[in-house]
């Protein structure tokens, strides 16, 4: 499921009302609550602070005194539609004196979150395998080329009596480098590790 790489702020003006959207990446309800408090302190004179939250199976939304179902739920629906995870959306509204009506509010809060998401860099997290490769210096060129071709990520390189690479890969490497080097490279599986990739 996609997540935002970093927090986003976006402002939308509709009929003299200002809708300021904050998208915040969060892994816990406690962190989300703290962020909402922070936004309320930042905008103490705003008319509404509406929220939508998704963390795994946990979903929350709040209309913050807008008519029921016109703010939090539409915001949440946008996040659902994009299949987002670990995200909190807070839309701060400064009322401009012109009422938008129920449909207008639903559209305003939905559009605010949609437009903010359009600005975000999205990532996905998958389990990659971590390996330690150990080999002679003569194999550096071939092994570097193979790792590049297989889209592996080199976490660290140590040069001592032998070369030692710590490598992350989305695929199994146990046999690949044994075959490439005729058994001259040892490939030790360490563990599975969460790896974040930009979409």
């Amino acid at each position: 499921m996609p997540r935002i790489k970093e927090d986003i702020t976006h402002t939308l003006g509709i009929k003299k009302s200002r809708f300021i959207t904050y998208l915040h990446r969060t892994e816990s309800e406690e962190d989300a609550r703290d962020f909402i408090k922070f936004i309320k302190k930042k905008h103490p004179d705003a008319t509404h602070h509406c929220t939508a939250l998704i963390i795994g199976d946990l979903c929350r939304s709040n209309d913050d005194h807008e008519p029921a179902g016109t703010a939090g739920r539409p915001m949440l629906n946008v996040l659902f539609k994009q299949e987002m995870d670990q995200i909190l959306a807070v839309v701060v509204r400064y009322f401009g004196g012109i009422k938008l009506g129920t449909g207008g509010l639903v559209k305003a809060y939905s559009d605010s979150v949609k437009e903010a998401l359009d600005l975000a860099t999205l990532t996905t997290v998958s389990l990659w395998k971590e390996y330690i490769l150990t080999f002679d210096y003569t194999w550096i060129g071939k092994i570097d080329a193979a790792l590049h071709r297989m889209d592996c990520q080199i976490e660290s390189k140590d040069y001592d009596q032998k070369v030692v690479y710590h490598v992350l890969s989305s695929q199994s490497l146990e046999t690949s480098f044994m075959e490439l080097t005729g058994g001259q490279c040892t490939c030790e599986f360490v563990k599975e590790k969460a790896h974040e990739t930009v979409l």
Side-chain angles (χ1 to χ4, degrees):
M1 294 176 85
R3 302 148 199 230
I4 55 171
K5 187 178 180 188
E6 54 210 359
D7 288 7
I8 292 288
T9 307
H10 173 64
T11 302
L12 184 64
I14 301 171
K15 292 185 179 176
K16 296 187 178 178
S17 278
R18 263 194 315 142
F19 295 84
I20 306 167
T21 302
Y22 293 90
L23 299 182
H24 174 63
R25 178 163 163 166
T26 182
E27 294 180 13
S28 72
E29 205 172 358
E30 185 184 358
D31 172 70
R33 275 196 296 268
D34 288 344
F35 188 78
I36 293 166
K37 279 181 199 164
F38 165 72
I39 295 301
K40 285 183 174 178
K41 276 184 187 171
K42 191 172 180 175
H43 299 277
D45 52 342
T47 323
H48 305 281
H49 306 83
C50 304
T51 60
L53 171 70
I54 300 176
I55 304 172
D57 294 330
L58 174 71
C59 303
R60 297 262 191 278
S61 65
N62 190 318
D63 294 314
D64 193 36
H65 307 298
E66 288 282 29
T70 62
R73 188 70 209 187
M75 291 162 59
L76 196 58
N77 287 342
V78 172
L79 301 180
F80 276 139
K81 202 175 239 183
Q82 298 278 348
E83 299 181 335
M84 298 300 297
D85 191 17
Q86 293 190 358
I87 188 166
L88 167 68
V90 183
V91 179
V92 175
R93 183 188 182 191
Y94 286 91
F95 181 55
I98 300 171
K99 291 191 174 179
L100 302 180
T102 303
L105 286 172
V106 169
K107 186 173 185 333
Y109 282 101
S110 299
D111 287 352
S112 295
V113 176
K114 265 185 216 157
E115 290 186 18
L117 272 177
D118 285 344
L119 298 172
T121 300
L122 300 184
T123 66
T124 186
V125 174
S126 53
L127 280 178
W128 280 34
K129 295 175 170 66
E130 184 181 348
Y131 291 96
I132 296 173
L133 304 182
T134 308
F135 52 92
D136 288 328
Y137 281 77
T138 50
W139 291 104
I140 288 176
K142 277 195 174 180
I143 285 175
D144 281 354
L147 289 169
H148 180 71
R149 194 169 57 247
M150 296 164 81
D151 205 24
C152 298
Q153 186 174 309
I154 301 170
E155 297 279 88
S156 68
K157 297 178 179 183
D158 294 311
Y159 301 99
D160 201 353
Q161 286 163 329
K162 291 206 168 192
V163 182
V164 180
Y165 282 4
H166 282 256
V167 173
L168 282 181
S169 173
S170 59
Q171 53 196 296
S172 295
L173 300 182
E174 280 91 342
T175 57
S176 307
F177 290 94
M178 290 289 284
E179 288 169 7
L180 176 73
T181 62
Q184 298 296 303
C185 173
T186 62
C187 182
E188 180 192 343
F189 172 74
V190 181
K191 63 183 175 186
E192 286 195 316
K193 192 173 179 182
H195 180 73
E196 191 165 3
T197 311
V198 173
L199 293 173

